[in-house]
Amino acid sequence: MKILMAKNYEEMSKIAASAVVESIRKNPAAVLGLPTGHTPEGMYRLLVRAYEREEVDFSEVTTFNLDEYIGLPPEHPASYHFFMAKHFFNHVNCDATKNHIPNSLASDIDGECIMYDRKLESAGGIDLLVLGLGGNGHIGFNEPDARLQTKTHRVRLSSATRKANSIHFPERDTVPMESITLGMEAIMSARKILLLVSGTQKRSILKQTLAGYISTDLPASLLQLHKDVLLIADEEALGKSTAS
Ligand code: GLP
């Protein structure tokens, strides 16, 4: 894993946005894997700006989001459909037919998961996957567990994750119990991964992620086995002495 230490959140976002723009310039029909959460908001803002300045064209890009809460309609302000529209899709020239987010309102969730993997497979897999880091080490919604699932699947959210994510919900008790997430196979077969981490609250879990051990109790630790991961973390998350 290559580690890039950014001074702060803004710089982390800038480096991440530049990496995304560069990869689209190299391959205008790139397949992107996209995250939600507070961490990538700055990156999306800068990607929108790059589009407005005509520095990047998203028209041929295909996107696959990592996850979505089961049962939240797209118009719910905490849904990831809503997030993506608000922060990105509504402001750039992405082709909506090429933007994929799990349909967590599907009557057959297991069937939806199978379809999602099929769509990703026929798109050729992910060229560039951007990831955030959950406070408990989850990636996408692959939660710490004795076993991690390879395929897209429905997952029961841990109470730590529901608590952490409750800030995005009008009332704490409305955080869904389950979500759909890409599995570890799609994540680990992405050709390149950017892992974005910001803030002192992520410092301890990031340190454990990089500690040189892998464990399904810390899903992000598996990223240490991937051949092309660039960790872009700010000073607050990394602590000054950790960067190479
Ligand atoms: C959610 C998402 C993850 C994201 C994580 C961290 O649980 N499913 O994909 O990485 O939150 O969120 P934040 O960036 O807000 O800390």
Side-chain angles (χ1 to χ4, degrees):
M1 188 180 297
K2 267 173 61 182
I3 302 175
L4 236 171
M5 184 158 74
K7 266 216 109 20
N8 49 34
Y9 179 82
E10 270 314 304
E11 195 178 77
M12 177 201 73
S13 305
K14 207 168 152 186
I15 298 168
S18 303
V20 173
V21 167
E22 192 193 314
S23 103
I24 296 171
R25 284 208 190 121
K26 277 192 194 144
N27 175 12
V31 178
L32 304 181
L34 296 177
T36 49
H38 169 66
T39 311
E41 281 179 17
M43 175 192 78
Y44 287 124
R45 190 169 23 82
L46 294 171
L47 286 176
V48 170
R49 193 183 297 167
Y51 166 71
E52 288 166 352
R53 292 179 176 165
E54 299 183 6
E55 293 163 3
V56 62
D57 173 10
F58 293 101
S59 60
E60 288 180 54
V61 166
T62 297
T63 66
F64 284 86
N65 265 78
L66 282 156
D67 44 22
E68 178 59 289
Y69 293 106
I70 291 183
L72 278 198
E75 61 277 10
H76 190 289
S79 81
Y80 291 161
H81 279 79
F82 190 92
F83 176 101
M84 289 307 295
K86 176 178 170 192
H87 293 282
F88 190 51
F89 293 142
N90 282 354
H91 313 287
V92 296
N93 68 334
C94 276
D95 172 351
T97 64
K98 295 188 176 121
N99 299 143
H100 307 282
I101 304 178
N103 173 15
S104 61
L105 294 179
S107 53
D108 174 9
I109 293 291
D110 294 338
E112 168 64 17
C113 293
I114 292 169
M115 285 288 294
Y116 204 66
D117 279 336
R118 280 202 192 132
K119 278 189 238 165
L120 179 56
E121 204 185 316
S122 54
I126 298 172
D127 293 309
L128 178 65
L129 171 62
V130 185
L131 289 176
L133 177 64
N136 62 357
H138 71 227
I139 42 179
F141 267 134
N142 291 276
E143 292 276 45
D145 206 338
R147 299 183 305 176
L148 297 178
Q149 295 194 44
T150 50
K151 303 293 185 192
T152 295
H153 58 282
R154 80 191 287 158
V155 61
R156 197 165 184 81
L157 299 175
S158 67
S159 50
T161 294
R162 292 185 67 238
K163 191 171 171 209
N165 292 5
S166 64
I167 53 165
H168 302 295
F169 285 77
E171 285 174 35
R172 171 175 294 226
D173 65 0
T174 60
V175 181
M177 303 295 286
E178 294 181 302
S179 81
I180 295 180
T181 182
L182 275 184
M184 293 306 292
E185 183 182 311
I187 290 176
M188 294 302 282
S189 8
R191 287 176 270 288
K192 184 178 178 68
I193 297 177
L194 302 180
L195 174 62
L196 311 186
V197 191
S198 168
T200 48
Q201 73 286 1
K202 297 279 174 75
R203 188 182 289 186
S204 159
I205 196 69
L206 179 58
K207 197 169 173 197
Q208 295 169 55
T209 297
L210 302 176
Y213 303 91
I214 54 166
S215 167
T216 57
D217 283 328
L218 206 174
S221 67
L222 272 86
L223 296 173
Q224 294 174 110
L225 300 178
H226 190 283
K227 287 206 162 50
D228 194 354
V229 179
L230 174 61
L231 165 66
I232 310 169
D234 62 15
E235 271 178 21
E236 285 192 353
L238 210 43
K240 286 199 173 179
S241 56
T242 333
S244 58

